[in-house]
Amino acid sequence: MTATLTATSERVLTLNDVIAKYSHIPRLLILRIDAQIRGIHYTDQALSAVDPAIHQIYSRARHGIKEDESKQYPASLLLRDGSLIIASHTPLEKNPYLVDLVDGRLALVDNDEIIEFVELWEKPAYYELYTSSGIPMKDVVSARPQRLDLSSSTYCHFGAKHKGCKFCAIYPPDRKTVAARIKPQDITETIRAAISEPGRFSFIHITGGTKLGGKELLDAELEHYIETLQAIGENFSTKKFPCDVTTTAFSEKQLHRLYDETGIMAYTTDMEVLDEEKFNWICPGKSETIGYREWKKRLITAVGIFGRGYVGTGIVAGVELAKPFGFTSEDEALRSTLAEAEDLAANGVTTWGTVWKVLPGAEFRDQKGPSLEYCVRLAEGLYQLRVKYDLKVDFNDYRRCGNHPDADLSRLLK
Ligand code: SF4
């Protein structure tokens, strides 16, 4: 691929440039980051290799992306080292990698060059089953290769009030429908069926949009998580089970309830952007209701309840460079973000990044995404902080999640 020039004539490094410059970082990890930034586009030949009887598919539009509803797109891809590419089907004009059929195998292709062969995710057995109330289990709990995912809510109060995070398209403000709340019995039955498949799942993750209501701010959200977690817990004989949640930042009292009344082992609440000024601009709902400093304080409070290394925060890697109020220099963005991540790490909170993908349904839909080199440097910096402060990431690593390049490094580097 040819290197391009930015408006300031700064040379943007290509995939091969970055692989050569950061030779201590695994090539497949760098490729994965690039595929997340650029997205992937399935050719019709590639889609002909998708067998819904075997493979996991998405059949609905996601994140505001207009997919051809007559086609069945795969959930996502696996690389040969077992890591995941969680990337969206992206229109050709956005310069995505192609996923094409080459000699009967699926491959990532760029400029007619085969970059890597890839595989599809296999569908778990419970995807064919129904709960006793007649709901397809795949609509209750979705699957990654080794993790079960529950969405506690398909609605976000911030998005509904036009105060959503500007990179987010999961809960766009113009969303007209809200899915019916799944009943606890359906959750219990689905988790039971899923974990009965030998050797497949090792972790359960729950997240959802913000719910501000209740006696205390966020009590409605807390109650929903407790109800869902107790339904899951019906399947375990131990008090704690391998599960974490990503919620809005709960108060100390709410965190104690979450820990005491459920079986979760780890807690996450996403700050998204590690800079107060940029956070206020990019996440107006979070900023106005809780605020940057209080959010950070609540994370540190959670360490006293869940333990060092069992509290994390997610950031959207690169969104701090968005225009017009983001950082104007990658070096400055990196320095500032890692300084804040270090302050959190020193207090027992681990930070991981999800590569910012510019989504058509988001307010930031017309932005330019981060450079590959920036995302690689940030992933390495976050990984090094985890080493320095001896923080584990085993509840959110390549097996459990697979969507954080920095967490992937934890199994590969010393
Ligand atoms: S809190 Fe922000 S990132 Fe999360 S669902 Fe709402 S708008 Fe999206």
Side-chain angles (χ1 to χ4, degrees):
M1 189 174 77
T2 319
T4 52
L5 299 179
T6 65
T8 55
S9 291
E10 207 178 290
R11 186 171 177 273
V12 177
L13 301 185
T14 64
L15 174 70
N16 287 336
D17 293 334
V18 176
I19 289 168
K21 185 169 174 182
Y22 297 87
S23 56
H24 57 293
I25 305 284
R27 173 183 169 274
L28 288 183
L29 184 77
I30 298 174
L31 170 62
R32 184 157 88 71
I33 295 173
D34 207 27
Q36 285 177 305
I37 296 171
R38 290 175 52 189
I40 51 179
H41 184 96
Y42 295 95
T43 64
D44 285 344
Q45 287 82 356
L47 292 179
S48 72
V50 179
D51 182 349
I54 300 171
H55 303 124
Q56 202 174 317
I57 57 162
Y58 280 126
S59 55
R60 60 189 169 84
R62 289 162 294 151
H63 308 314
I65 295 165
K66 299 279 179 276
E67 290 163 346
D68 181 341
E69 295 201 357
S70 66
K71 295 177 180 170
Q72 294 195 305
Y73 294 92
S76 219
L77 301 169
L78 269 171
L79 284 165
R80 65 188 151 89
D81 65 352
S83 63
L84 316 183
I85 299 180
I86 301 176
S88 324
H89 180 74
T90 302
L92 284 173
E93 59 270 22
K94 301 279 183 191
N95 188 33
Y97 282 90
L98 281 188
V99 181
D100 206 356
L101 200 59
V102 180
D103 299 331
R105 294 172 69 191
L106 289 177
L108 274 187
V109 176
D110 196 30
N111 285 335
D112 295 328
E113 187 189 340
I114 298 171
I115 309 295
E116 268 297 323
F117 286 99
V118 289
E119 290 179 29
L120 299 173
W121 295 6
E122 286 197 10
K123 186 170 68 172
Y126 80 88
Y127 264 42
E128 294 297 324
L129 305 177
Y130 289 77
T131 66
S132 57
S133 67
I135 299 177
M137 287 189 176
K138 66 179 168 51
D139 293 347
V140 179
V141 177
S142 63
R144 288 191 184 179
Q146 299 187 46
R147 185 177 87 174
L148 295 165
D149 280 351
L150 278 85
S151 177
S152 73
S153 161
T154 54
Y155 177 80
C156 176
H157 276 207
F158 296 147
K161 292 180 174 183
H162 297 266
K163 298 281 183 184
C165 306
K166 295 184 193 304
F167 54 81
C168 177
I170 297 175
Y171 305 97
D174 58 353
R175 189 179 183 123
K176 297 285 188 296
T177 56
V178 179
R181 186 163 165 164
I182 307 260
K183 296 198 172 49
Q185 183 62 25
D186 293 315
I187 294 171
T188 305
E189 291 174 17
T190 305
I191 294 289
R192 184 171 305 148
I195 61 177
S196 68
E197 186 170 343
R200 173 93 198 223
F201 298 107
S202 60
F203 207 73
I204 303 166
H205 175 69
I206 312 172
T207 191
T210 293
K211 282 191 194 166
L212 297 175
K215 202 164 158 218
E216 184 186 318
L217 185 80
L218 301 175
D219 266 355
E221 185 176 324
L222 174 71
E223 295 294 348
H224 196 168
Y225 278 106
I226 290 175
E227 177 187 279
T228 304
L229 286 159
Q230 288 179 346
I232 296 169
E234 291 287 314
N235 294 296
F236 297 89
S237 55
T238 49
K239 162 89 173 105
K240 296 285 168 193
F241 50 87
C243 179
D244 80 329
V245 294
T246 302
T247 74
T248 311
F250 288 144
S251 68
E252 182 168 5
K253 187 171 130 207
Q254 290 168 331
L255 286 168
H256 274 293
R257 278 197 64 199
L258 188 65
Y259 185 82
D260 294 341
E261 295 179 31
T262 76
I264 55 167
M265 295 169 69
Y267 177 74
T268 298
T269 182
D270 291 340
M271 293 195 70
E272 322 288 6
V273 188
L274 292 185
D275 175 273
E276 186 167 2
E277 202 187 292
K278 319 283 180 250
F279 174 89
N280 293 344
W281 170 51
I282 295 171
C283 308
K286 291 186 174 197
S287 160
E288 287 168 24
T289 50
I290 294 173
Y292 185 85
R293 288 176 203 194
E294 178 63 20
W295 205 290
K296 199 170 159 186
K297 194 168 140 238
R298 291 180 178 201
L299 270 166
I300 294 167
T301 299
V303 176
I305 299 165
F306 288 87
R308 241 183 94 73
Y310 287 92
V311 176
T313 192
I315 58 171
V316 180
V319 80
E320 58 279 1
L321 289 153
K323 290 187 174 31
F325 302 120
F327 290 103
T328 51
S329 133
E330 290 190 351
D331 284 344
E332 193 195 348
L334 202 66
R335 240 188 333 269
S336 170
T337 301
L338 291 177
E340 273 293 82
E342 176 146 19
D343 191 32
L344 287 165
N347 284 287
V349 178
T350 189
T351 300
W352 44 73
T354 300
V355 173
W356 177 30
K357 165 79 181 155
V358 176
L359 294 168
E363 189 168 336
F364 275 172
R365 66 180 76 82
D366 297 321
Q367 295 271 343
K368 186 170 170 289
S371 75
L372 173 59
E373 183 177 22
Y374 179 77
C375 291
V376 169
R377 291 172 72 199
L378 182 58
E380 188 177 13
L382 293 175
Y383 160 74
Q384 281 168 347
L385 285 175
R386 240 174 340 256
V387 173
K388 181 172 175 185
Y389 290 93
D390 194 23
L391 295 171
K392 306 284 177 244
V393 72
D394 55 357
F395 70 95
N396 208 6
D397 63 3
Y398 79 102
R399 285 178 200 274
R400 260 53 69 166
C401 180
N403 203 20
H404 310 297
D406 52 276
D408 272 16
L409 284 172
S410 297
R411 73 173 170 137
L412 298 166
L413 299 183
K414 289 229 166 39

